[in-house]
Amino acid sequence: MDRLAQEITAHLASKGLHPTHDWLSNFMSTVRQSTALAAIKQTALFRLLASDITQSLRRSQSSMFPGDILNGTIKERVLPGPIVVQVIEIEDIGRSCWSQVEALEAAERGEMTKGREVIRVVPDEQGTGGPTQTAADEVNAGNGPHKLLLMDVSGTRVYALELFAVNGIGLRINIGAKLVLRNVVVARGLVLLEPKTTTFVGGKIDALHKAWIEGRKERLKAAAGMAN
């Protein structure tokens, strides 16, 4: 491995990310040697965070959930990790599904609430016709706790619950965002998230995020028993 590849590998490792040889080779083939090192590092991080970790990150026994992770008879255990996961789904279990559907539909109509008033909001200043930031804030309001569906490098999916607020976790999170878990507690097949064990790294997988956004209202309606 040449010096530049070593620099990139070390930078990604500092974030808890260990790319496969193939991913690193493919990335290095796109690098212009004249580009500043800092820019190359940031590009590598951006691309890795936008990737599917089942294809881009190395696998080891310590970097994956154990094969019996979903065993509900195991009362509690600690996984040392570090385990990198990507967020597949998220929901705010601190608010009713019905109230979240109402907020989404109000935003679609271009409305927001102020106290007991319902006031009309105009499209965003860019003229895209989407909700304003204020309307989006109302849709994503709430402090959780949040329930997430996580996927590790092997493709194993596990539900997780936010015990205490974790920086970066909320309904504004991008689907496909990466988290690094260290010494995380798993209780009866449920991963318990808290700040001291969970590091938000960021990222987004566009296709997954788009599908989640488009299907969010119907999932909430189904959960509230309101499915068409």
Side-chain angles (χ1 to χ4, degrees):
M1 186 184 298
D2 63 26
R3 177 66 181 272
L4 180 56
Q6 289 177 343
E7 293 271 7
I8 300 304
T9 300
H11 177 64
L12 296 174
S14 72
K15 308 293 183 182
L17 306 171
H18 301 277
T20 63
H21 177 75
D22 286 346
W23 186 92
L24 185 62
S25 295
N26 289 336
F27 173 75
M28 294 304 298
S29 70
T30 68
V31 172
R32 293 182 179 180
Q33 298 295 323
S34 59
T35 305
L37 178 59
I40 295 174
K41 288 180 177 180
Q42 285 303 106
T43 300
L45 179 61
F46 175 82
R47 291 188 187 177
L48 192 57
L49 292 178
S51 72
D52 179 349
I53 62 173
T54 64
Q55 304 297 317
S56 59
L57 294 188
R58 296 202 306 262
R59 300 182 186 186
S60 67
Q61 186 173 359
S62 63
S63 70
M64 301 185 296
F65 290 126
D68 62 351
I69 184 67
L70 300 178
N71 187 342
T73 65
I74 301 177
K75 184 176 180 181
E76 186 174 295
R77 53 181 155 171
V78 176
L79 304 181
I83 300 172
V84 180
V85 295
Q86 55 195 16
V87 177
I88 302 300
E89 295 176 7
I90 185 169
E91 61 178 296
D92 183 350
I93 59 175
R95 288 192 296 163
S96 71
C97 294
W98 169 248
S99 70
Q100 293 179 66
V101 170
E102 287 186 317
L104 284 167
E105 292 183 339
E108 290 170 357
R109 295 191 300 268
E111 298 173 352
M112 59 170 285
T113 59
K114 185 177 182 181
R116 295 188 176 181
E117 290 183 86
V118 176
I119 58 178
R120 192 78 181 171
V121 294
V122 297
D124 57 60
E125 294 181 357
Q126 285 74 33
T128 62
T132 63
Q133 186 59 45
T134 303
D137 285 345
E138 185 161 339
V139 167
N140 294 323
N143 297 318
H146 300 93
K147 182 180 179 182
L148 301 88
L149 180 60
L150 306 177
M151 178 190 284
D152 73 358
V153 294
S154 71
T156 299
R157 297 186 177 204
V158 182
Y159 279 105
L161 180 65
E162 187 184 34
L163 283 186
F164 302 98
V166 175
N167 185 42
I169 291 181
L171 292 181
R172 292 181 183 83
I173 198 172
N174 292 319
I175 301 304
K178 279 62 175 175
L179 309 175
V180 179
L181 310 178
R182 293 182 175 89
N183 297 313
V184 69
V185 175
V186 180
R188 301 194 185 280
L190 183 67
V191 178
L192 305 180
L193 305 178
E194 51 186 308
K196 67 181 181 181
T197 63
T198 309
T199 302
F200 175 80
V201 185
K204 177 183 182 182
I205 299 178
D206 287 330
L208 293 181
H209 188 76
K210 182 174 184 291
W212 182 79
I213 291 292
E214 291 176 348
R216 181 181 171 192
K217 186 170 77 170
E218 291 308 312
R219 288 192 302 274
L220 287 168
K221 289 175 72 174
M226 301 160 50
N228 294 328

